[in-house]
Amino acid sequence: MEVANSNLFLNIKGMRFFSKLYNLEIVHSALEYIPHDNDIFIATIPKSGTTWMQTIVYALLMNGRAFDDDINDYKASNPFLEMDGQQAIESMQRPGAIKTHLVFNYLPYNSNAKYITVIRNPKDVCVSFHRFITSIGRGAQNDIAFDTFFNDFLAGKTGHVDYFEHLISCWAHRNDDNVLLILYEDMQKDIRSVIKRVANFLNIEISEELLERIVIVSSFDYLNKARYNEKIDSKDNVATFKFLRKGITGDWRTVLSDEQNRRLETCFREKTKHIHELNILWDQYDVFNKE
Protein backbone atom coordinates (compact mmCIF):
# COMPACT_ATOMS: atom_id res chain seq x y z
CA MET A 1 0.00 0.00 0.00
CA GLU A 2 1.57 3.23 -1.18
CA VAL A 3 0.90 6.39 0.82
CA ALA A 4 2.06 9.92 0.04
CA ASN A 5 4.99 11.42 1.94
CA SER A 6 3.00 14.51 2.85
CA ASN A 7 -0.19 14.91 4.83
CA LEU A 8 -1.97 16.49 1.88
CA PHE A 9 -2.52 13.43 -0.32
CA LEU A 10 -3.18 9.75 -0.08
CA ASN A 11 -1.12 8.34 -2.95
CA ILE A 12 -2.64 5.15 -4.34
CA LYS A 13 -1.43 3.61 -7.60
CA GLY A 14 -0.03 6.98 -8.66
CA MET A 15 -3.34 8.74 -8.08
CA ARG A 16 -3.59 11.44 -5.41
CA PHE A 17 -6.58 11.75 -3.12
CA PHE A 18 -6.91 14.69 -0.72
CA SER A 19 -6.47 13.19 2.74
CA LYS A 20 -9.04 15.58 4.24
CA LEU A 21 -11.69 14.45 1.77
CA TYR A 22 -11.03 10.76 1.14
CA ASN A 23 -10.74 7.65 3.28
CA LEU A 24 -7.93 5.22 2.47
CA GLU A 25 -9.97 2.08 3.06
CA ILE A 26 -12.91 3.37 1.04
CA VAL A 27 -10.68 4.22 -1.94
CA HIS A 28 -9.16 0.75 -1.87
CA SER A 29 -12.61 -0.83 -1.65
CA ALA A 30 -13.65 1.23 -4.69
CA LEU A 31 -10.72 -0.13 -6.69
CA GLU A 32 -11.82 -3.67 -5.80
CA TYR A 33 -15.43 -3.18 -6.90
CA ILE A 34 -16.59 -5.77 -9.44
CA PRO A 35 -18.97 -4.04 -11.89
CA HIS A 36 -22.41 -5.38 -12.76
CA ASP A 37 -23.30 -5.96 -16.40
CA ASN A 38 -25.75 -3.06 -16.32
CA ASP A 39 -23.49 -0.55 -14.56
CA ILE A 40 -22.99 2.87 -16.09
CA PHE A 41 -19.83 4.81 -15.22
CA ILE A 42 -19.28 8.53 -15.80
CA ALA A 43 -15.49 8.78 -15.84
CA THR A 44 -13.91 12.23 -15.96
CA ILE A 45 -11.05 14.22 -14.60
CA PRO A 46 -12.40 16.93 -12.23
CA LYS A 47 -13.92 20.02 -13.86
CA SER A 48 -14.63 18.34 -17.17
CA GLY A 49 -18.42 18.26 -17.21
CA THR A 50 -19.06 15.54 -14.64
CA THR A 51 -22.13 17.15 -13.09
CA TRP A 52 -23.50 18.15 -16.47
CA MET A 53 -23.24 14.58 -17.75
CA GLN A 54 -24.65 13.15 -14.51
CA THR A 55 -27.81 15.23 -14.83
CA ILE A 56 -28.18 14.29 -18.50
CA VAL A 57 -27.83 10.57 -17.83
CA TYR A 58 -30.16 10.73 -14.83
CA ALA A 59 -32.83 12.54 -16.86
CA LEU A 60 -32.48 9.98 -19.67
CA LEU A 61 -32.80 7.06 -17.29
CA MET A 62 -35.76 8.66 -15.52
CA ASN A 63 -37.72 9.83 -18.55
CA GLY A 64 -36.92 13.52 -18.09
CA ARG A 65 -36.82 13.79 -14.31
CA ALA A 66 -34.74 16.70 -13.03
CA PHE A 67 -32.22 16.15 -10.24
CA ASP A 68 -34.33 18.16 -7.80
CA ASP A 69 -37.64 16.42 -8.54
CA ASP A 70 -36.51 13.87 -5.94
CA ILE A 71 -33.14 14.90 -4.53
CA ASN A 72 -32.80 11.78 -2.38
CA ASP A 73 -33.39 9.55 -5.39
CA TYR A 74 -30.83 11.52 -7.38
CA LYS A 75 -28.21 11.12 -4.67
CA ALA A 76 -28.95 7.42 -4.26
CA SER A 77 -28.67 6.92 -8.03
CA ASN A 78 -25.39 8.81 -8.47
CA PRO A 79 -22.75 7.57 -6.01
CA PHE A 80 -19.12 8.67 -6.21
CA LEU A 81 -17.05 5.49 -6.53
CA GLU A 82 -13.84 6.45 -4.73
CA MET A 83 -15.52 8.63 -2.12
CA ASP A 84 -18.48 6.35 -1.29
CA GLY A 85 -16.79 2.99 -1.78
CA GLN A 86 -17.75 -0.50 -2.85
CA GLN A 87 -20.55 -1.05 -0.34
CA ALA A 88 -22.38 2.13 -1.39
CA ILE A 89 -22.10 1.16 -5.06
CA GLU A 90 -23.50 -2.31 -4.39
CA SER A 91 -26.52 -0.80 -2.63
CA MET A 92 -27.06 2.15 -5.00
CA GLN A 93 -30.44 2.94 -6.48
CA ARG A 94 -30.64 1.48 -9.98
CA PRO A 95 -30.90 2.49 -12.74
CA GLY A 96 -28.22 5.04 -12.00
CA ALA A 97 -24.70 6.09 -12.89
CA ILE A 98 -21.44 5.80 -10.97
CA LYS A 99 -19.26 8.90 -10.90
CA THR A 100 -15.49 8.45 -10.86
CA HIS A 101 -12.29 10.43 -11.41
CA LEU A 102 -10.08 7.33 -11.57
CA VAL A 103 -7.61 6.93 -14.42
CA PHE A 104 -9.40 4.80 -17.01
CA ASN A 105 -6.84 2.02 -16.76
CA TYR A 106 -7.68 1.59 -13.06
CA LEU A 107 -11.45 1.65 -13.46
CA PRO A 108 -13.30 -1.49 -12.36
CA TYR A 109 -14.00 -3.07 -15.73
CA ASN A 110 -16.76 -5.22 -17.14
CA SER A 111 -17.10 -5.63 -20.90
CA ASN A 112 -20.90 -5.44 -20.54
CA ALA A 113 -20.90 -2.29 -18.40
CA LYS A 114 -20.96 1.13 -20.08
CA TYR A 115 -18.41 3.90 -19.63
CA ILE A 116 -19.09 7.53 -20.55
CA THR A 117 -16.02 9.71 -20.41
CA VAL A 118 -15.94 13.48 -20.94
CA ILE A 119 -12.70 15.24 -21.81
CA ARG A 120 -12.06 18.98 -21.74
CA ASN A 121 -9.14 21.06 -22.97
CA PRO A 122 -6.32 21.34 -20.40
CA LYS A 123 -6.32 25.14 -20.24
CA ASP A 124 -9.91 25.35 -19.00
CA VAL A 125 -9.47 22.30 -16.74
CA CYS A 126 -6.43 23.88 -15.06
CA VAL A 127 -8.18 27.19 -14.40
CA SER A 128 -11.48 25.64 -13.30
CA PHE A 129 -9.82 23.03 -11.07
CA HIS A 130 -7.84 25.72 -9.25
CA ARG A 131 -10.98 27.76 -8.63
CA PHE A 132 -12.73 24.62 -7.41
CA ILE A 133 -10.16 23.54 -4.83
CA THR A 134 -9.69 27.08 -3.54
CA SER A 135 -13.45 27.30 -2.98
CA ILE A 136 -13.63 24.21 -0.77
CA GLY A 137 -14.18 25.27 2.82
CA ARG A 138 -11.83 23.44 5.19
CA GLY A 139 -10.98 21.15 2.33
CA ALA A 140 -7.83 20.60 0.35
CA GLN A 141 -5.72 23.49 -0.95
CA ASN A 142 -7.99 26.48 -0.45
CA ASP A 143 -4.99 28.81 -0.09
CA ILE A 144 -2.84 27.64 -3.01
CA ALA A 145 -1.80 30.40 -5.43
CA PHE A 146 -2.61 29.86 -9.09
CA ASP A 147 1.04 30.07 -10.16
CA THR A 148 1.90 27.23 -7.78
CA PHE A 149 -1.10 25.20 -8.85
CA PHE A 150 -0.25 25.75 -12.52
CA ASN A 151 3.25 24.35 -12.01
CA ASP A 152 1.79 21.35 -10.18
CA PHE A 153 -0.70 20.84 -13.01
CA LEU A 154 2.04 20.67 -15.63
CA ALA A 155 4.05 18.31 -13.42
CA GLY A 156 1.04 16.04 -12.84
CA LYS A 157 1.05 16.70 -9.10
CA THR A 158 -2.42 18.13 -8.49
CA GLY A 159 -5.16 16.22 -6.70
CA HIS A 160 -6.60 13.09 -8.30
CA VAL A 161 -4.51 12.31 -11.38
CA ASP A 162 -2.13 13.70 -13.95
CA TYR A 163 -4.39 15.40 -16.51
CA PHE A 164 -2.41 14.04 -19.43
CA GLU A 165 -2.32 10.49 -18.10
CA HIS A 166 -6.10 10.60 -17.65
CA LEU A 167 -6.64 12.11 -21.10
CA ILE A 168 -4.47 9.58 -22.91
CA SER A 169 -5.91 6.62 -21.01
CA CYS A 170 -9.45 7.68 -21.98
CA TRP A 171 -8.45 8.32 -25.58
CA ALA A 172 -6.99 4.83 -25.89
CA HIS A 173 -10.46 3.35 -25.25
CA ARG A 174 -12.47 5.72 -27.44
CA ASN A 175 -13.31 3.02 -29.99
CA ASP A 176 -14.36 0.36 -27.49
CA ASP A 177 -17.96 -0.75 -27.99
CA ASN A 178 -18.83 -0.05 -24.34
CA VAL A 179 -17.10 3.34 -24.15
CA LEU A 180 -18.52 6.70 -25.25
CA LEU A 181 -16.05 9.58 -25.39
CA ILE A 182 -17.59 13.05 -25.34
CA LEU A 183 -15.82 16.35 -25.85
CA TYR A 184 -16.87 19.01 -23.33
CA GLU A 185 -16.58 21.67 -25.99
CA ASP A 186 -19.02 19.70 -28.17
CA MET A 187 -21.48 19.82 -25.28
CA GLN A 188 -21.17 23.58 -25.29
CA LYS A 189 -21.54 23.78 -29.06
CA ASP A 190 -24.45 21.39 -29.63
CA ILE A 191 -25.86 19.81 -26.49
CA ARG A 192 -28.82 18.28 -28.32
CA SER A 193 -26.55 16.19 -30.53
CA VAL A 194 -24.59 15.07 -27.48
CA ILE A 195 -27.74 14.05 -25.59
CA LYS A 196 -28.85 12.02 -28.62
CA ARG A 197 -25.46 10.28 -28.71
CA VAL A 198 -25.69 9.44 -25.02
CA ALA A 199 -29.25 8.15 -25.42
CA ASN A 200 -28.22 5.95 -28.35
CA PHE A 201 -25.24 4.63 -26.36
CA LEU A 202 -27.56 3.71 -23.46
CA ASN A 203 -30.15 2.21 -25.84
CA ILE A 204 -32.78 4.76 -24.80
CA GLU A 205 -35.34 5.99 -27.30
CA ILE A 206 -35.69 9.74 -27.10
CA SER A 207 -38.49 11.88 -28.49
CA GLU A 208 -38.10 15.54 -29.38
CA GLU A 209 -40.23 16.42 -26.36
CA LEU A 210 -37.99 14.42 -24.02
CA LEU A 211 -34.89 15.86 -25.65
CA GLU A 212 -36.03 19.43 -25.03
CA ARG A 213 -36.97 18.55 -21.44
CA ILE A 214 -33.46 17.18 -20.80
CA VAL A 215 -31.82 20.20 -22.40
CA ILE A 216 -33.67 22.37 -19.87
CA VAL A 217 -33.19 20.33 -16.67
CA SER A 218 -29.49 19.71 -17.32
CA SER A 219 -28.66 23.32 -18.25
CA PHE A 220 -26.38 25.42 -16.06
CA ASP A 221 -29.12 27.98 -15.73
CA TYR A 222 -31.53 25.38 -14.34
CA LEU A 223 -28.93 23.78 -12.05
CA ASN A 224 -27.88 27.12 -10.62
CA LYS A 225 -31.44 28.33 -10.06
CA ALA A 226 -32.25 24.97 -8.43
CA ARG A 227 -29.20 25.47 -6.15
CA TYR A 228 -27.36 22.31 -7.15
CA ASN A 229 -24.27 23.26 -5.14
CA GLU A 230 -26.24 23.61 -1.92
CA LYS A 231 -28.31 20.46 -2.41
CA ILE A 232 -25.43 18.17 -3.44
CA ASP A 233 -22.92 18.69 -0.66
CA SER A 234 -20.46 16.57 1.25
CA LYS A 235 -22.19 14.10 3.52
CA ASP A 236 -19.95 14.79 6.50
CA ASN A 237 -19.72 18.59 6.16
CA VAL A 238 -15.91 18.45 6.04
CA ALA A 239 -16.05 20.64 2.98
CA THR A 240 -18.50 22.67 0.95
CA PHE A 241 -18.24 21.74 -2.71
CA LYS A 242 -19.00 24.19 -5.49
CA PHE A 243 -19.59 21.73 -8.32
CA LEU A 244 -20.92 24.40 -10.64
CA ARG A 245 -19.35 27.70 -11.57
CA LYS A 246 -19.49 29.17 -15.08
CA GLY A 247 -19.38 26.06 -17.23
CA ILE A 248 -18.03 28.04 -20.18
CA THR A 249 -15.30 27.41 -22.71
CA GLY A 250 -12.31 29.74 -23.01
CA ASP A 251 -12.22 31.17 -19.49
CA TRP A 252 -8.50 30.37 -19.45
CA ARG A 253 -7.92 33.48 -21.57
CA THR A 254 -8.73 35.65 -18.54
CA VAL A 255 -6.27 33.83 -16.25
CA LEU A 256 -3.25 32.35 -18.01
CA SER A 257 -0.31 34.62 -18.64
CA ASP A 258 1.34 34.53 -22.07
CA GLU A 259 4.20 32.52 -20.62
CA GLN A 260 1.88 30.04 -18.89
CA ASN A 261 -0.12 29.66 -22.08
CA ARG A 262 3.04 28.87 -24.06
CA ARG A 263 4.27 26.41 -21.43
CA LEU A 264 0.95 24.55 -21.32
CA GLU A 265 0.76 24.38 -25.11
CA THR A 266 4.30 23.03 -25.28
CA CYS A 267 3.47 20.42 -22.67
CA PHE A 268 0.30 19.35 -24.47
CA ARG A 269 2.03 19.08 -27.85
CA GLU A 270 4.85 17.05 -26.33
CA LYS A 271 2.55 14.67 -24.42
CA THR A 272 0.34 14.02 -27.46
CA LYS A 273 2.88 14.23 -30.30
CA HIS A 274 2.57 10.52 -31.07
CA ILE A 275 -1.26 10.66 -31.13
CA HIS A 276 -2.09 12.84 -34.11
CA GLU A 277 -5.90 12.87 -33.73
CA LEU A 278 -5.60 13.86 -30.09
CA ASN A 279 -2.90 16.39 -30.82
CA ILE A 280 -5.25 18.33 -33.12
CA LEU A 281 -8.50 17.54 -31.29
CA TRP A 282 -9.17 21.08 -30.03
CA ASP A 283 -7.97 22.93 -33.13
CA GLN A 284 -11.57 23.56 -34.21
CA TYR A 285 -12.11 25.43 -30.94
CA ASP A 286 -9.00 27.65 -31.23
CA VAL A 287 -7.63 26.40 -27.92
CA PHE A 288 -4.07 26.01 -29.18
CA ASN A 289 -2.03 28.12 -31.56
CA LYS A 290 -1.68 26.46 -34.95
CA GLU A 291 1.84 25.29 -35.64
Side-chain angles (χ1 to χ4, degrees):
M1 183 182 299
E2 183 186 4
V3 181
N5 294 325
S6 71
N7 293 324
L8 182 59
F9 296 117
L10 303 172
N11 192 318
I12 304 170
K13 294 183 183 252
M15 296 175 285
R16 290 161 302 283
F17 302 88
F18 288 113
S19 56
K20 289 184 179 180
L21 305 180
Y22 291 87
N23 177 283
L24 186 65
E25 292 183 2
I26 289 178
V27 174
H28 276 285
S29 77
L31 291 169
E32 294 169 358
Y33 172 65
I34 300 175
H36 299 197
D37 286 351
N38 62 350
D39 276 349
I40 301 168
F41 290 84
I42 297 175
T44 65
I45 200 166
K47 312 318 297 174
S48 296
T50 317
T51 296
W52 197 358
M53 184 57 69
Q54 280 182 287
T55 56
I56 289 171
V57 170
Y58 180 75
L60 280 168
L61 295 173
M62 299 297 174
N63 196 35
R65 180 185 294 176
F67 87 95
D68 59 337
D69 283 354
D70 186 338
I71 192 65
N72 290 326
D73 183 78
Y74 177 81
K75 288 181 178 181
S77 303
N78 289 271
F80 186 176
L81 179 60
E82 52 268 38
M83 185 167 279
D84 295 329
Q86 182 176 168
Q87 185 174 354
I89 306 304
E90 289 287 1
S91 61
M92 69 179 281
Q93 183 79 30
R94 286 182 165 84
I98 303 163
K99 165 185 171 179
T100 179
H101 294 316
L102 296 178
V103 174
F104 202 98
N105 294 338
Y106 286 118
L107 274 176
Y109 187 79
N110 180 328
S111 60
N112 293 317
K114 291 183 179 291
Y115 300 81
I116 300 171
T117 182
V118 185
I119 59 175
R120 187 183 189 186
N121 81 78
K123 296 181 182 182
D124 278 325
V125 169
C126 180
V127 169
S128 186
F129 196 9
H130 175 257
R131 285 176 170 157
F132 175 70
I133 64 171
T134 54
S135 72
I136 300 175
R138 296 180 292 140
Q141 291 179 298
N142 53 299
D143 59 347
I144 188 171
F146 179 74
D147 289 352
T148 301
F149 180 85
F150 176 82
N151 290 331
D152 287 347
F153 184 85
L154 288 189
K157 295 180 179 178
T158 59
H160 293 284
V161 299
D162 179 344
Y163 169 87
F164 299 100
E165 180 183 359
H166 193 282
L167 174 67
I168 292 170
S169 71
C170 289
W171 186 257
H173 292 274
R174 71 193 184 283
N175 293 323
D176 293 0
D177 291 340
N178 64 333
V179 174
L180 177 66
L181 187 145
I182 297 290
L183 201 63
Y184 181 92
E185 289 76 13
D186 287 347
M187 296 175 73
Q188 287 282 349
K189 179 181 179 181
D190 187 357
I191 189 58
R192 288 169 176 81
S193 292
V194 169
I195 293 172
K196 288 178 180 179
R197 287 180 61 197
V198 175
N200 182 66
F201 179 68
L202 297 178
N203 300 313
I204 295 173
E205 292 188 12
I206 183 168
S207 64
E208 286 301 314
E209 182 181 2
L210 178 57
L211 174 62
E212 292 307 314
R213 165 71 177 168
I214 294 174
V215 169
I216 292 171
V217 300
S218 65
S219 70
F220 275 73
D221 184 59
Y222 182 92
L223 298 179
N224 279 318
K225 287 180 179 178
R227 297 179 296 128
Y228 188 97
N229 287 333
E230 291 86 344
K231 292 176 181 177
I232 310 296
D233 206 343
S234 65
K235 59 187 176 183
D236 53 11
N237 293 319
V238 170
T240 299
F241 297 108
K242 295 183 179 179
F243 298 96
L244 299 174
R245 200 176 63 83
K246 292 183 179 180
I248 63 174
T249 297
D251 199 31
W252 59 267
R253 292 183 174 87
T254 68
V255 178
L256 296 183
S257 67
D258 290 342
E259 179 188 5
Q260 288 171 334
N261 186 48
R262 285 193 295 270
R263 287 175 61 197
L264 203 159
E265 291 206 2
T266 299
C267 184
F268 174 79
R269 297 298 188 195
E270 179 64 26
K271 296 283 188 180
T272 63
K273 65 181 180 181
H274 299 302
I275 313 172
H276 178 69
E277 288 179 278
L278 181 55
N279 190 262
I280 64 172
L281 184 63
W282 282 285
D283 283 2
Q284 63 178 307
Y285 291 106
D286 297 322
V287 174
F288 301 101
N289 290 322
K290 303 291 194 300
E291 292 186 339

